[in-house]
C-alpha cells in the first residue's frame, strides 16, 4: 500500500460580537442513507449569535479559508475566525462557520482522509454543541460556486454529514444523528476527542468516527446537480460557528 501524508497544523480566544447566525439551520433538499443510529440530535438547539475572534485571521502557512455564505450575508468576514499553527497541528477558533484548506491538499480516486479533533474545553465558546470535522471533494474552493462534503462530530455523541453544492444539502438530517461511536464530553469545560475519517472507495463514500463506520452513501447520493461536482478535489477541515478546537494528524492515504 502506498501512503501519502499531508501534514497539518493548531485555536485562540474569542471576543463576543453580535451577528446573528446559525449555519446548522440552513434549509435544503436532502437525501439520507443507512446509519448505525438514526435518532435526530439537538433538534431544539437555540439560535446563537456568531462571535468575532480576537486577533482573528490565518497565520498557518499555505492555508486559506472561506466562511459560509449565510455568515457573509450577516456581515461576518473570514478574519472573524482564527486559524493558527501550534506545534504539529492546527488551532481553530470560530467565529463564523468556516472551511479551511491548503490548496496543495488534494485527493482523487479511492482514498481516505483522516484527522483527530480535540475540543480542549467542551462548549467553552458556545451555549450548545457545535460540530467540527473533515471535508472532501472540494471544487471551486474560495468562490461562490464552491462545493464540498463534510462529516463532523459534536461533543455530545452526535455527528452530521452535509455538503454544499453550492447551496447546503443534508444527508443525515437537519442536525445530524446520534451514534454510540461518537465520544461524549464528561461535561461543559471537559476535553473530548474524535478521530474522523472520510473514505471514497469505488461507488461508496463513508464516514468513520473513532474507528466505526457511522454512515455510508452511494456516490450518486453525493455527486450531481446541486451537490458535489466530484469526490476528487481539495480536502480540509470545517468548523461550525463559535467553536474552539485543535486538529492533528490530517493525512490522506491511498489503498
Amino acid at each position: 500500500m502506498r501512503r501519502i501524508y499531508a501534514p497539518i497544523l493548531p485555536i485562540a480566544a474569542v471576543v463576543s460580537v453580535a451577528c446573528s447566525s446559525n449555519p446548522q439551520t440552513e434549509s435544503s433538499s436532502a437525501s439520507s442513507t443507512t446509519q448505525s443510529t438514526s435518532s435526530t440530535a439537538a433538534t431544539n438547539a437555540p439560535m446563537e449569535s456568531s462571535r468575532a475572534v480576537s486577533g482573528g485571521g490565518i497565520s498557518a502557512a499555505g492555508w486559506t479559508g472561506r466562511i459560509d455564505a449565510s455568515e457573509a450575508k450577516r456581515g461576518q468576514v473570514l478574519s472573524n475566525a482564527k486559524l493558527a499553527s501550534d506545534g504539529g497541528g492546527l488551532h481553530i477558533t470560530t467565529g463564523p462557520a468556516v472551511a479551511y484548506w491548503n490548496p496543495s491538499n488534494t485527493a482523487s480516486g479511492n482514498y481516505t482522509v483522516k484527522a483527530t479533533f480535540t475540543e480542549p474545553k467542551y462548549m467553552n465558546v458556545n451555549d450548545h454543541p457545535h460540530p467540527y470535522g473533515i471535508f472532501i471533494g472540494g471544487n471551486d474552493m474560495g468562490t461562490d460556486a464552491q462545493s464540498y462534503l463534510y462529516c463532523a462530530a459534536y461533543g455530545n455523541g452526535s455527528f452530521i454529514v452535509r455538503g454544499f453544492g453550492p447551496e447546503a444539502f443534508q444527508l443525515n438530517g437537519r442536525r445530524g444523528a446520534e451514534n454510540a461511536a461518537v465520544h461524549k464530553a464528561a461535561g461543559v469545560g471537559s476535553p473530548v476527542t474524535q478521530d474522523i475519517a472520510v473514505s471514497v472507495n469505488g461507488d461508496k463514500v463513508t464516514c468513520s468516527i473513532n474507528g466505526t463506520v457511522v454512515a455510508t452513501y452511494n456516490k450518486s447520493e453525493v455527486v450531481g446537480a446541486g451537490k458535489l461536482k466530484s469526490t476528487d478535489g481539495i480536502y480540509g477541515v470545517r468548523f461550525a460557528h463559535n467553536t474552539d478546537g485543535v486538529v492533528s494528524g490530517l493525512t490522506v492515504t491511498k489503498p
Side-chain angles (χ1 to χ4, degrees):
M1 183 191 320
R2 177 168 162 258
R3 294 179 178 267
I4 302 173
Y5 294 95
I8 159 168
L9 311 160
I11 296 192
V14 170
V15 176
S16 178
V17 172
C19 191
S20 177
S21 170
N22 191 340
Q24 297 308 315
T25 64
E26 293 171 352
S27 61
S28 63
S29 61
S31 109
S32 59
T33 64
T34 304
Q35 279 80 252
S36 47
T37 304
S38 60
S39 57
T40 57
T43 54
N44 297 315
M47 293 293 289
E48 180 185 82
S49 296
S50 294
R51 298 167 170 83
V53 177
S54 177
I58 298 174
S59 59
W63 284 74
T64 187
R66 187 174 176 92
I67 64 173
D68 285 7
S70 61
E71 297 274 25
K73 289 177 181 177
R74 296 181 178 98
Q76 289 283 352
V77 294
L78 183 60
S79 59
N80 284 350
K82 187 173 184 177
L83 171 69
S85 57
D86 183 5
L90 292 170
H91 195 177
I92 298 166
T93 307
T94 60
V98 59
Y100 288 115
W101 66 93
N102 185 321
S104 65
N105 289 346
T106 62
S108 61
N110 295 334
Y111 62 84
T112 296
V113 177
K114 64 180 179 179
T116 298
F117 295 78
T118 301
E119 199 171 354
K121 296 181 179 180
Y122 175 58
M123 286 176 53
N124 71 321
V125 292
N126 49 49
D127 62 20
H128 62 274
H130 293 174
Y132 36 82
I134 286 171
F135 80 77
I136 65 161
N139 281 277
D140 299 316
M141 296 302 293
T143 76
D144 291 341
Q146 73 179 22
S147 59
Y148 63 87
L149 177 76
Y150 68 89
C151 179
Y154 298 78
N156 67 349
S158 301
F159 75 101
I160 188 167
V161 184
R162 212 160 173 249
F164 291 91
E167 299 299 318
F169 63 92
Q170 302 164 4
L171 286 162
N172 74 329
R174 182 166 171 259
R175 293 187 183 277
E178 296 177 355
N179 191 286
V182 185
H183 294 156
K184 294 182 179 181
V188 174
S190 296
V192 60
T193 296
Q194 318 283 357
D195 292 326
I196 303 177
V198 180
S199 299
V200 178
N201 190 1
D203 191 44
K204 302 296 183 183
V205 179
T206 62
C207 175
S208 300
I209 300 180
N210 300 318
T212 297
V213 174
V214 296
T216 300
Y217 303 95
N218 294 323
K219 275 190 180 179
S220 60
E221 296 178 85
V222 302
V223 177
K227 297 181 181 180
L228 294 187
K229 297 175 180 68
S230 171
T231 54
D232 297 348
I234 291 172
Y235 65 87
V237 297
R238 176 188 161 83
F239 277 65
H241 68 299
N242 299 346
T243 305
D244 181 27
V246 175
V247 187
S248 59
L250 179 65
T251 59
V252 60
T253 59
K254 298 278 288 183

